[in-house]
Amino acid sequence: MTDGAKVWGLHLLVLAAVFAAQFLLPPYHATNLARIMVLAVFAMGYNIAFGYTGLLSLGHALFFAAGMYGMGLPVWHLEWVSVPALIAGLLAGGVMAGAVGVLALRTAGVSFMIVTLMFAQAGYLTLLYLNSWTGGDEGFVVASAARQAFGFSLATDTPRFTAAFVLFAAGLLACLWLVRSPFGRVMVAMRENEERSRMLGYDPFRVKLVALILSGLYAGLAGAAYGMLFGYVGASFATIQYSILPMLYVLLGGAGTVLGPFLGALLMFYLIDITSNYTDAYLFVVGAALVGLVLFAPKGILGTLRERAWRWLP
């Protein structure tokens, strides 16, 4: 079997297993899995910027919130329905990422990280300041009438899981195609050696900007879907926590691997969910797990697996 057949076979097998899980899991875990799939799409976007292009950002909460509010505000103020609102959220994330990228990509390394963090904080404070339009810190509930798509209510379990799965499957397969495409190879080249890539005729600013916009589109769509599927839009999703979470998912699952964001989101979600039932110090357990990861598997779970066994893993 060729490496290409192994790659596509593995990813399709994962999608089949995730889809089958809704029929095997109790409703609580099926709802959790729907939430994890949406967060995994968010982490896929972060992985495009960080894992494949080498852009360490602390501003992705801004793109996630842009998508969420890009969906939620037209629904709240203009009474839009689900599909146009989701498209608006997708575009809002991409436009926000492009605007931030044009300015932030004038810097690099730690400076880029700090600049993106400041943009995210500015976005969060803007949401609080414009509380009459955004709902401020309390946010607002997405009307159930707007949570209808193709005759199904996204507020109910099966349609919600199906919508999350379609989003996840499309995001995963698109990401797999992207990283195996010529542009995906250029992104990796930028991460590994920017100067040599420049000597070969590639424009680092343009490549990084396109990668950041793609990352923002993923984050925006995830934010819009999260608000639509779970019925709430709030400024808390623009806080630094939602810039750190996708980074943790990617680091845990394996930066620069297509399935890493999903595996990281799955493990981190249930690590927090299970430990929080036993102790209020669940973040201590999460921190200990991350320290162990850095010490024994610094490339993440799938990154280490690729290094030691499955070298064909994208």
Side-chain angles (χ1 to χ4, degrees):
M1 184 182 294
T2 65
D3 287 349
K6 291 178 183 178
V7 167
W8 286 101
L10 173 63
H11 288 77
L12 292 175
L13 181 63
V14 169
L15 289 176
V18 171
F19 183 76
Q22 69 174 314
F23 304 108
L24 304 175
L25 296 174
Y28 172 75
H29 292 291
T31 300
N32 281 347
L33 187 54
R35 197 181 304 270
I36 289 166
M37 285 190 286
V38 176
L39 292 174
V41 172
F42 181 25
M44 286 179 208
Y46 190 87
N47 197 31
I48 291 172
F50 172 59
Y52 289 102
T53 317
L55 296 172
L56 179 57
S57 164
L58 284 179
H60 268 63
L62 178 62
F63 311 149
F64 187 76
M68 181 174 283
Y69 279 91
M71 176 281 300
L73 292 179
V75 168
W76 190 22
H77 295 293
L78 303 177
E79 298 183 353
W80 283 23
V81 292
S82 59
V83 175
L86 288 171
I87 294 173
L90 166 72
L91 296 177
V95 169
M96 185 65 72
V100 170
V102 167
L103 298 173
L105 286 172
R106 299 173 184 270
T107 64
V110 175
S111 299
F112 176 81
M113 180 179 67
I114 293 173
V115 170
T116 54
L117 172 62
M118 299 314 296
F119 272 113
Q121 287 298 102
Y124 170 64
L125 293 174
T126 300
L127 292 175
L128 296 182
Y129 181 74
L130 300 175
N131 62 335
S132 61
W133 285 91
T134 65
D137 202 30
E138 294 182 0
F140 57 90
V141 174
V142 179
S144 58
R147 299 171 66 193
Q148 305 284 329
F150 308 106
F152 297 97
S153 172
L154 299 178
T156 55
D157 290 343
T158 300
R160 178 168 50 206
F161 186 97
T162 303
F165 176 78
V166 169
L167 174 68
F168 172 69
L172 184 74
L173 296 177
C175 185
L176 179 59
W177 173 83
L178 172 66
V179 301
R180 291 170 60 83
S181 71
F183 183 75
R185 305 298 186 190
V186 174
M187 292 194 306
V188 173
M190 286 294 166
R191 181 193 69 194
E192 296 298 323
N193 195 319
E194 181 177 324
E195 287 306 313
R196 183 170 293 180
S197 300
R198 191 196 308 272
M199 290 173 60
L200 292 173
Y202 297 107
D203 182 357
F205 180 83
R206 182 175 301 175
V207 172
K208 290 179 180 180
L209 181 60
V210 172
L212 193 62
I213 291 173
L214 291 173
S215 180
L217 289 171
Y218 267 78
L221 182 57
Y226 199 95
M228 180 64 69
L229 296 180
F230 300 102
Y232 174 72
V233 174
S236 60
F237 292 103
T239 59
I240 183 64
Q241 175 185 356
Y242 280 87
S243 288
I244 293 176
L245 280 176
M247 179 174 64
L248 295 182
Y249 298 156
V250 169
L251 290 175
L252 178 59
T257 63
V258 176
L259 287 172
F262 172 66
L263 179 61
L266 179 67
L267 294 177
M268 184 66 71
F269 185 94
Y270 274 105
L271 178 62
I272 294 174
D273 185 62
I274 293 171
T275 55
S276 62
N277 290 328
Y278 297 98
T279 175
D280 291 334
Y282 61 91
L283 290 179
F284 175 81
V285 179
V286 172
L290 292 173
V291 170
L293 176 73
V294 171
L295 291 176
F296 300 106
K299 293 186 178 180
I301 296 172
L302 292 183
T304 301
L305 182 62
R306 178 172 59 188
E307 184 179 50
R308 298 181 179 178
W310 294 357
R311 296 190 177 278
W312 48 267
L313 195 65

